[in-house]
Amino acid sequence: MRGGGLLVAGTTSDAGKSVVTAGICRWLVRKGLKVAPFKGQNMSLNSFVTREGAEIGRAQAMQAQAARVEPTALMNPVLLKPGSDRSSQVVLMGRPVGELSARGYHGGRQKELFEPVLACLEELRSTYDAVICEGAGSPAEINLRRTDIVNMGIARAARLPVVVVGDIDRGGVFAQFFGTTALLAPEDQELIAGYLVNKFRGDVTLLEPGLDMLLGLTGRRTLGVLPYAHGLGIDEEDGLRVSLRGAVRESAVAPPVGEDVLRVAVCAVPLMSNFTDVDALAAEPGVVVRFVDRAEELVDADLVVVPGTRGTVRALAWLRERGLADALARRAAEGRPVLGVCGGFQVLGEHIEDEVESRAGSVDGLGLLPVRVRFAREKTLARPVGSALGESVEGYEIHHGVAEVLGGEPFLDGCRVGAVWGTHWHGSLESDGFRRAFLREVAAAAGRRFVPAPDTSFGALREEQLDRLGDLIEEHADTDALLRLIEEGPPRGLPFVPPGAP
């Protein structure tokens, strides 16, 4: 087989498209097929840097790992990174090409990107046995169908069969499946090959009468009922969750190795990006991670993390408005640990000069680190490798701010003063030896008798999660039917469900 394909669409955002796409990738690669993920257009503040220095959605990087291939820009040619409620940075083939309002993007620019997106998909299909595509939102966004390049637009152009995923845990899944199909034009309905129920709890036999009625109404089978899987985490596109935290909390509440737990508070700054950085902390037995937005929630924290953000100046103002800036200053004066990552590192500095992201000009930082930041128009995209605290470290950089470090002890690309650390490096805590060394420093500064587990492997935990996704597909989906769709394309003779697109 060469060039097979499937589009995983959803009845809503967060229906489980990313999970199902990753699970299908892992199932297929375990069958010996060469597989690639694809998402024509992604909107997310969680991104990743490929080895060739391209920025793509973090979910597509995770799906590439599920497929056991190296992620590339071909897998996510268009990435939209929101900068406000009405505008986003447009990243094309891994490089930013400008800021556009939603009206400007959907009014014309999106249509211009259709051919490059389709070309990326075709290049992947010429190289891989199968390409598993992920849609965005719902394919029945009838107000956006004319310029669609990620759902039925790409499916129709590439003649991809479409499986629609619905989250039954939210309720209303039968209406969602029927309504999604009935709102599509006849040419689009021809590609809707079946449905997948996600996050089901209970006795599946109680669901079967509804599935039979759905088949009678639409002429399309439900190709699987995936059970609700506790602690199943992957890199998020958006939303506010720690993807591995649930797994750790539910694994017989893994006790700390030492006498104390370690409490980590993550400041939930506006436009928070790459909050997956703290997943590796949450994976450690005895480390409790929570997101906070009030100063009093920092009082009992042993470590406070100020994460990345697409709005550094806006995040700085938010910290001050909520009293968190003063609380961070008190912590620094008392020698209590604070870690700033990327935008969070920038706000801890002395001064910010920004004529690019916020266009706010000169802004005073929190002054906790001897650093001055100037925003450059060209974005830094890199995969640095180095060492810190006597351990090897890998990470990735995604930022417009250029930091001039004027003092302190060197720490990755940033610095450390007392118990305050700052770096632009995302993902550094996934390096196991470095993470353990860092947590030992934090525990000592916080006066906690916490001991990092000697054998926690973040990479192994992630592989376990991806295998669980593959197991969900293999055990609970009609894999023969899915394989036929991937190899043969959309079934012929699927009935039209009225009324169709208006």
Side-chain angles (χ1 to χ4, degrees):
M1 178 173 66
R2 177 54 57 90
L6 179 73
L7 176 69
V8 178
T11 58
T12 62
S13 295
D14 202 29
K17 297 183 292 291
S18 295
V19 169
V20 170
T21 300
I24 293 174
C25 285
R26 179 50 63 101
W27 159 63
L28 287 172
V29 79
R30 292 195 305 208
K31 286 179 64 67
L33 297 178
K34 187 180 179 185
V35 190
F38 177 80
K39 186 162 185 172
Q41 170 200 293
N42 196 350
M43 178 174 279
S44 178
L45 286 171
N46 282 340
S47 58
F48 182 76
V49 179
T50 67
R51 295 216 176 272
E52 74 265 32
E55 184 180 9
I56 66 172
R58 180 93 189 183
Q60 278 60 66
M62 175 276 303
Q63 290 161 357
Q65 186 175 351
R68 297 185 179 137
V69 295
E70 190 67 34
T72 74
L74 291 172
M75 297 172 183
N76 180 207
V78 179
L79 174 63
L80 306 178
K81 302 194 73 176
S84 70
D85 292 340
R86 298 195 172 192
S87 68
S88 294
Q89 183 180 65
V90 181
V91 179
L92 176 62
M93 293 304 293
R95 295 286 171 181
V97 294
E99 293 269 344
L100 277 178
S101 66
R103 181 178 292 275
Y105 182 70
H106 291 289
R109 186 63 193 272
Q110 186 180 33
K111 198 171 182 179
E112 295 173 13
L113 297 172
F114 183 77
E115 290 303 325
V117 166
L118 186 59
C120 289
L121 174 58
E122 293 307 317
E123 185 171 343
L124 288 173
R125 293 183 79 179
S126 70
T127 308
Y128 290 86
D129 297 326
V131 179
I132 308 304
C133 308
E134 180 186 345
S138 163
E141 307 288 2
I142 53 180
N143 55 316
L144 303 177
R145 175 62 184 89
R146 182 177 59 84
T147 56
D148 171 53
I149 65 172
V150 64
N151 288 308
M152 301 313 299
I154 202 77
R156 197 193 295 190
R159 295 303 298 169
L160 292 172
V162 179
V163 174
V164 181
V165 179
D167 179 357
I168 196 170
D169 199 49
R170 296 180 173 188
V173 75
F174 293 113
Q176 292 169 21
F177 284 143
F178 180 85
T180 296
T181 308
L183 277 177
L184 299 177
E187 296 84 357
D188 289 344
Q189 287 196 24
E190 290 175 2
L191 305 175
I192 302 296
Y195 311 111
L196 272 173
V197 175
N198 191 30
K199 297 185 184 178
F200 179 72
R201 306 172 193 250
D203 184 350
V204 73
T205 61
L206 298 177
L207 195 64
E208 288 171 355
L211 302 180
D212 291 340
M213 290 176 66
L214 185 66
L215 173 61
L217 289 166
T218 67
R220 290 155 176 88
R221 291 179 52 229
T222 298
L223 302 178
V225 177
L226 309 183
Y228 193 103
H230 292 278
L232 190 61
I234 61 168
D235 294 342
E236 301 287 344
E237 287 188 356
D238 40 33
L240 190 59
R241 286 199 295 273
V242 182
S243 59
L244 285 175
R245 179 172 58 181
V248 172
R249 284 185 170 176
E250 289 159 16
S251 61
V253 266
V257 175
E259 297 179 46
D260 288 343
V261 298
L262 209 62
R263 296 174 177 84
V264 179
V266 185
C267 296
V269 297
L271 299 173
M272 182 165 46
S273 61
N274 288 70
F275 55 83
T276 48
D277 283 334
V278 298
D279 283 359
L281 295 178
E284 284 284 349
V287 175
V288 180
V289 178
R290 68 182 189 274
F291 290 91
V292 304
D293 60 5
R294 298 183 300 180
E296 53 268 31
E297 293 178 292
L298 304 190
V299 173
D300 67 343
D302 302 306
L303 169 66
V304 174
V305 178
V306 187
T309 171
R310 250 282 277 157
T312 299
V313 171
R314 179 175 167 184
L316 186 56
W318 181 88
L319 290 168
R320 286 179 168 136
E321 288 165 4
R322 291 177 168 262
L324 288 159
D326 290 338
L328 289 169
R330 286 194 296 272
R331 289 187 66 89
E334 295 165 0
R336 302 176 67 202
V338 176
L339 171 65
V341 180
C342 201
F345 166 41
Q346 294 166 9
V347 305
L348 298 181
E350 296 172 351
H351 188 76
I352 297 170
E353 193 71 33
D354 182 11
E355 299 292 348
V356 176
E357 189 176 79
S358 68
R359 298 181 176 86
S362 297
V363 179
D364 288 334
L366 298 185
L368 306 186
L369 291 174
V371 174
R372 299 177 72 85
V373 176
R374 176 185 55 81
F375 274 70
R377 296 203 173 275
E378 185 164 345
K379 182 183 284 190
T380 297
L381 297 169
R383 289 276 293 269
V385 176
S387 63
L389 306 179
E391 300 286 347
S392 298
V393 192
E394 296 183 14
Y396 57 99
E397 294 183 63
I398 306 169
H399 53 93
H400 284 279
V402 179
E404 181 185 6
V405 179
L406 303 173
E409 300 175 42
F411 178 70
L412 302 176
D413 70 324
C415 65
R416 169 188 182 177
V417 174
V420 180
W421 294 266
T423 177
H424 275 128
W425 290 22
H426 294 290
S428 63
L429 294 167
E430 295 179 20
S431 298
D432 296 326
F434 168 72
R435 181 181 65 255
R436 287 191 276 269
F438 176 72
L439 289 175
R440 282 192 289 270
E441 294 258 348
V442 168
R448 292 287 184 186
R449 290 172 293 182
F450 169 86
V451 178
D455 55 355
T456 301
S457 167
F458 185 76
L461 285 171
R462 177 160 287 178
E463 277 297 304
E464 287 175 15
Q465 298 291 69
L466 294 174
D467 274 331
R468 289 183 66 199
L469 294 180
D471 293 343
L472 276 178
I473 298 300
E474 193 166 342
E475 296 169 12
H476 301 283
D478 186 341
T479 52
D480 290 339
L482 289 176
L483 200 56
R484 279 195 302 273
L485 291 174
I486 293 167
E487 292 177 338
E488 301 172 12
R492 297 184 181 277
L494 290 169
F496 172 70
V497 180

